[in-house]
């Protein structure tokens, strides 16, 4: 997130870092990076040692799901995984009010300007890895009654500074959302859980990191056992020639689209200040409601 959280101070974050990961920590700095979670650099005597994350409690990322994902990533025998660190008690996720804290070692590096050439090979190695015992199995986040839930949401007040614009977008595209929802439900019937593999979930360029002379995959909070197309969709979107089931790629495109629409609609219907994060949410809602169907780009 770009804005600081209103309900958590830097001093509180420093206490979390000291208590659970690094007792020598003496400073933290909020970083305006990423989306969905808040991040801090944790320092010891002026040197960065940890990258600490606070995730909100969402259906997509609960405390239990984050613990399972981070523990699973740490167990992977792969040299391109930059995993979370266990706490002094051996856990990977720590409850902090309504949020969940996690941390990785600080890794000095840069994000590539474009997705790395070796991404297909990295994903092939990941998908061939035996599943860790802690890995959860993917399940859809999409309520089959999503169009009805959106219609109910539209009956409420949208009083925030961006509420009117967001509501008008949802009204304009509600029929399309209904069609996408029905298609999504149909495609779910094609899946065979016996074919599921370890997946990262979001291996796009924003979760690739260049450091120590190699590429790392970072941000493993979405790790679950799922069809390989959950990751391969990234390659297909990039125009890579990779074997895949187009219908399952389409399913995961719809999964992302519908999840984002519901999340952003709830956000903008509720109280908000019109800050940078709120404008980003409106941009995300607009993108997912108006972008071309996958395959028409």
């Amino acid at each position: 997130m770009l804005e600081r959280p209103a309900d958590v101070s830097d001093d509180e974050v420093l206490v979390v870092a000291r208590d659970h990961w690094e007792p020598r920590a003496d400073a933290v700095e909020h970083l305006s990076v990423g989306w969905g979670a808040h991040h801090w650099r944790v320092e010891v005597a002026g040197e960065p040692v940890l990258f600490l994350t606070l995730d909100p409690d969402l259906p997509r990322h609960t405390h239990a799901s984050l613990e399972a994902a981070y523990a699973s990533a740490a167990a992977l025998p792969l040299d391109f995984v930059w995993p979370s660190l266990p706490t002094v008690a051996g856990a990977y996720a720590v409850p902090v009010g309504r949020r969940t804290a996690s941390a990785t070692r600080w890794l000095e590096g840069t994000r590539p300007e474009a997705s790395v050439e070796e991404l297909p090979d990295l994903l092939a190695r990941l998908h061939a890895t035996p599943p860790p015992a802690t890995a959860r199995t993917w399940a859809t986040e999409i309520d089959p009654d999503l169009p009805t839930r959106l219609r109910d949401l539209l009956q409420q007040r949208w009083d925030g500074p961006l509420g009117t614009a967001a509501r008008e977008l949802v009204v304009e595209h509600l029929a399309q959302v209904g069609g996408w929802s029905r298609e999504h439900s149909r495609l779910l019937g094609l899946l065979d859980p016996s074919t599921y593999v370890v997946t990262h979930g979001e291996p796009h360029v924003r979760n690739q990191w260049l450091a120590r002379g190699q590429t790392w995959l970072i941000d493993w909070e979405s790790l679950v056992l799922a069809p390989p197309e959950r990751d391969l969709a990234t390659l297909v979107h990039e125009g890579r020639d990779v074997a895949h089931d187009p219908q399952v790629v389409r399913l995961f495109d719809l999964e992302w689209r519908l999840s984002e629409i519901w999340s952003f609609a709830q956000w903008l219907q509720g109280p908000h200040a019109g800050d940078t994060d709120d404008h980003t949410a409106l941009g995300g809602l607009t993108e997912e409601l108006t972008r071309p169907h996958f395959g028409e780009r």
Side-chain angles (χ1 to χ4, degrees), residues 46-245:
E47 293 296 321
V49 294
L50 297 176
F51 181 80
L52 189 145
T53 297
L54 278 184
D55 278 286
D57 185 24
L58 299 172
R60 182 182 300 176
H61 295 310
T62 65
H63 174 80
S65 74
L66 290 168
E67 175 66 32
Y70 290 140
S72 298
L76 293 174
L78 298 169
D79 58 7
F80 58 84
V81 174
W82 192 253
S84 294
L85 285 174
T87 66
V88 293
Y92 287 87
V94 175
V96 179
R98 293 182 300 170
R99 305 177 191 266
T100 297
S102 60
T104 67
R105 297 190 194 280
W106 186 265
L107 181 62
E108 197 68 43
T110 59
R111 179 176 293 132
E113 293 184 4
S115 190
V116 296
E117 183 179 351
E118 65 270 26
L119 183 60
D121 293 332
L122 300 182
L123 293 178
R125 291 174 59 195
L126 173 65
H127 296 167
T129 301
T134 48
R136 290 187 161 197
T137 299
W138 177 82
T140 182
E141 300 170 17
I142 307 305
D143 188 326
D145 292 328
L146 176 61
T148 300
R149 296 182 70 183
L150 279 173
R151 281 192 290 271
D152 291 343
L153 195 66
L154 290 170
Q155 303 308 309
Q156 302 180 34
R157 298 177 66 90
W158 295 57
D159 289 337
L162 305 181
T164 298
R167 186 182 185 281
E168 289 176 354
L169 273 168
V170 174
V171 169
E172 181 181 355
H173 296 280
L174 188 60
Q176 289 173 286
V177 173
W180 295 332
S181 181
R182 290 188 294 274
E183 182 183 4
H184 177 273
S185 295
R186 177 183 64 79
L187 293 172
L188 282 174
L190 302 178
L191 301 184
D192 177 3
S194 69
T195 66
Y196 288 6
V197 298
V198 181
T199 61
H200 179 284
E202 299 180 55
H204 48 64
V205 67
R206 294 190 299 278
N207 287 331
Q208 301 164 27
W209 196 247
L210 305 179
R212 302 181 182 180
Q214 69 167 84
T215 298
W216 302 85
L217 290 185
I218 60 175
D219 293 352
W220 289 86
E221 70 270 12
S222 299
L223 185 156
V224 291
L225 306 183
E229 282 80 5
R230 183 171 184 252
D231 288 340
L232 298 180
T234 293
L235 302 179
V236 176
H237 276 261
E238 292 174 356
R240 311 256 195 155
D241 183 14
V242 59
H244 66 280
D245 184 329

